[in-house]
Amino acid sequence: MLDRLPARVSIVEVSPRDGLQNEAAPIDTDGKLRLVNALVQSGLTRIELTSFVAPRWVPQLADAEEVARRALRREGVVFSALCPNSRGLERAIAAGLDEVAVFLSSSETHNKRNTNKSIKTSLETFAEVIEMALGERMRVRAYISTVWGCPYEGETDPGRALEIARELLGLGCYQVSLGDTIGVGTPLQTRRICELFLQHVPAEQLALHLHDTRGTALANALIGLELGVTTFDASVAGLGGCPYAPGAAGNLATEDLVYMLHGMGIETGVDLDQLIEAGRIAETVVGRRLPGKVHQAGPNRPRNSA
Ligand code: MG
C-alpha cells in the first residue's frame, strides 16, 4: 500500500479558530495576529482564521473582524472563517474573506448541543449560506463532526455522514472535512470510513480532521493517505484541547503531520523549522504548554558536538 502515497499534501491550518476557541483564558488580538503571521511565514497556505459566530456564543472569537482585517496577506494564502448562518456570512463578506466554512455534526444529539439545531435545520440554514457565498464568488468548505464517534451517542453511522456530505457537496461546497471530533478513531475504522466515502466522493473533495486525543491521529492519517486523501486539517503544536476531556490533546499537531510527511518524501510547502517557531509563539500566546510531539521534541537533527 505504501507505494501509493501521494507526492504532495495540502494542510488546512485550524489553530487560530479551532485551537483558540477552546482556550479558557481570553487571548488578546495582537497575540492571535502574531500566531497567524508566524503560520503564514512557515509556508502554510490555507489558514482558518476565526469564526463569525455570535460573540455571546464564543466570546474568545469576538474580535473576528479585526483578526481578518489585520492578518498578514500573502500571495497564494487563503484565509477562511466559520459561518454558522447568513449573518455570519455577511460579516465574512464585509471582512473581505475569500473562503468560508459551514459545520455540522453527523450525530443528532451532538449537533443539537453544539448548534441548538437539528441536522435538517442546519442543512436548510447552510443551503442559504452556501448560495449567498457562491454568489459572492467565495469558496465554501464543510466540516462534518463526530464521524468516528459521538460523546453522547457513541459510535456513529458513517452512512449518515456520507448522506450529509453528498448534500453539502451538491449545494456547492468544494470539500468536506470529516472530523474525529473526540479522537476515538482507529485505523481499520478509518479505512472503512474512507473507503465508503471514496466510493461516492472524489478524493480531492475529501479532507480528514483528526484528533490525537488517544494517540491515533497519525495512524489514521496514514490510512487516509494510502487511500488517496490528500488534504488534512491540523493545528500547530496541537493547539485546541479536547472539549470533552479537559487537559487532553485535541487536534492533530501540524508539526507532527509535517514531520511524518516530509520523512516519507511527501511535499507540504511548509518549512518545519519555521512551523516549530510558530508553535513556540502559540505557546506564549496561550500561556500554557502544548501537547504536540515534534513541538516538544524538536526536529530530528544531529546535535553539534561540543
Ligand atoms: Mg478540531
Short mmCIF file of all heavy atoms in Angstrom, two decimals, residues 162 166 192-202 206:
data_model
loop_
_atom_site.label_atom_id
_atom_site.label_comp_id
_atom_site.label_asym_id
_atom_site.label_seq_id
_atom_site.Cartn_x
_atom_site.Cartn_y
_atom_site.Cartn_z
N LEU A 162 -22.11 10.34 5.27
CA LEU A 162 -21.99 10.37 3.81
C LEU A 162 -23.19 11.07 3.17
O LEU A 162 -23.02 11.88 2.25
CB LEU A 162 -21.83 8.94 3.26
CG LEU A 162 -21.80 8.82 1.73
CD1 LEU A 162 -20.59 9.55 1.14
CD2 LEU A 162 -21.78 7.34 1.32
N ARG A 166 -22.81 14.38 0.88
CA ARG A 166 -23.27 14.48 -0.52
C ARG A 166 -24.23 15.64 -0.69
O ARG A 166 -24.23 16.33 -1.70
CB ARG A 166 -23.91 13.15 -0.95
CG ARG A 166 -22.88 12.03 -1.00
CD ARG A 166 -23.48 10.72 -1.37
NE ARG A 166 -23.68 10.60 -2.81
CZ ARG A 166 -24.20 9.53 -3.40
NH1 ARG A 166 -24.61 8.49 -2.66
NH2 ARG A 166 -24.34 9.50 -4.70
N ARG A 192 -12.51 1.87 6.84
CA ARG A 192 -13.92 1.65 6.45
C ARG A 192 -14.59 2.97 6.08
O ARG A 192 -15.32 3.06 5.10
CB ARG A 192 -14.69 0.99 7.61
CG ARG A 192 -14.40 -0.49 7.79
CD ARG A 192 -15.45 -1.17 8.67
NE ARG A 192 -15.49 -0.65 10.04
CZ ARG A 192 -14.70 -1.07 11.03
NH1 ARG A 192 -13.79 -2.02 10.82
NH2 ARG A 192 -14.81 -0.55 12.24
N ILE A 193 -14.34 4.00 6.89
CA ILE A 193 -14.97 5.30 6.63
C ILE A 193 -14.47 5.87 5.30
O ILE A 193 -15.25 6.29 4.44
CB ILE A 193 -14.69 6.28 7.80
CG1 ILE A 193 -15.47 5.81 9.04
CG2 ILE A 193 -15.06 7.71 7.43
CD1 ILE A 193 -15.08 6.53 10.32
N CYS A 194 -13.16 5.87 5.11
CA CYS A 194 -12.59 6.45 3.88
C CYS A 194 -13.04 5.67 2.65
O CYS A 194 -13.39 6.26 1.62
CB CYS A 194 -11.07 6.49 3.94
SG CYS A 194 -10.43 7.72 5.09
N GLU A 195 -13.03 4.34 2.75
CA GLU A 195 -13.44 3.54 1.59
C GLU A 195 -14.90 3.81 1.24
O GLU A 195 -15.25 3.92 0.07
CB GLU A 195 -13.20 2.05 1.86
CG GLU A 195 -11.72 1.69 1.73
CD GLU A 195 -11.40 0.23 2.05
OE1 GLU A 195 -12.25 -0.46 2.64
OE2 GLU A 195 -10.27 -0.19 1.72
N LEU A 196 -15.74 3.92 2.26
CA LEU A 196 -17.16 4.22 2.00
C LEU A 196 -17.29 5.57 1.27
O LEU A 196 -17.97 5.67 0.24
CB LEU A 196 -17.93 4.27 3.32
CG LEU A 196 -19.37 4.75 3.21
CD1 LEU A 196 -20.23 3.74 2.45
CD2 LEU A 196 -19.98 5.02 4.60
N PHE A 197 -16.62 6.59 1.80
CA PHE A 197 -16.73 7.91 1.19
C PHE A 197 -16.17 7.93 -0.23
O PHE A 197 -16.76 8.53 -1.13
CB PHE A 197 -16.04 8.97 2.05
CG PHE A 197 -16.94 9.55 3.10
CD1 PHE A 197 -17.22 8.85 4.26
CD2 PHE A 197 -17.56 10.77 2.90
CE1 PHE A 197 -18.09 9.36 5.21
CE2 PHE A 197 -18.43 11.30 3.84
CZ PHE A 197 -18.70 10.60 5.00
N LEU A 198 -15.03 7.26 -0.42
CA LEU A 198 -14.36 7.33 -1.72
C LEU A 198 -15.12 6.59 -2.81
O LEU A 198 -14.86 6.79 -4.00
CB LEU A 198 -12.92 6.83 -1.60
CG LEU A 198 -12.01 7.80 -0.82
CD1 LEU A 198 -10.71 7.12 -0.40
CD2 LEU A 198 -11.73 9.06 -1.64
N GLN A 199 -16.08 5.75 -2.42
CA GLN A 199 -16.95 5.15 -3.44
C GLN A 199 -17.87 6.20 -4.06
O GLN A 199 -18.41 6.00 -5.15
CB GLN A 199 -17.83 4.06 -2.81
CG GLN A 199 -17.11 2.75 -2.55
CD GLN A 199 -17.98 1.81 -1.71
OE1 GLN A 199 -19.21 1.89 -1.76
NE2 GLN A 199 -17.34 0.95 -0.95
N HIS A 200 -18.11 7.30 -3.34
CA HIS A 200 -19.12 8.27 -3.78
C HIS A 200 -18.58 9.68 -3.96
O HIS A 200 -19.23 10.51 -4.58
CB HIS A 200 -20.26 8.33 -2.75
CG HIS A 200 -20.91 7.02 -2.50
ND1 HIS A 200 -21.91 6.52 -3.32
CD2 HIS A 200 -20.69 6.07 -1.56
CE1 HIS A 200 -22.28 5.33 -2.87
NE2 HIS A 200 -21.56 5.03 -1.81
N VAL A 201 -17.41 9.96 -3.39
CA VAL A 201 -16.90 11.32 -3.38
C VAL A 201 -15.46 11.30 -3.90
O VAL A 201 -14.64 10.51 -3.41
CB VAL A 201 -16.92 11.89 -1.93
CG1 VAL A 201 -16.31 13.28 -1.88
CG2 VAL A 201 -18.34 11.91 -1.37
N PRO A 202 -15.11 12.14 -4.88
CA PRO A 202 -13.72 12.18 -5.36
C PRO A 202 -12.76 12.55 -4.23
O PRO A 202 -13.11 13.37 -3.37
CB PRO A 202 -13.73 13.28 -6.43
CG PRO A 202 -15.16 13.51 -6.77
CD PRO A 202 -15.97 13.11 -5.58
N LEU A 206 -12.45 15.44 -0.40
CA LEU A 206 -12.45 14.93 0.97
C LEU A 206 -11.23 15.45 1.74
O LEU A 206 -10.15 15.57 1.17
CB LEU A 206 -12.33 13.41 0.98
CG LEU A 206 -13.56 12.54 0.95
CD1 LEU A 206 -13.13 11.11 1.24
CD2 LEU A 206 -14.62 13.00 1.93
#
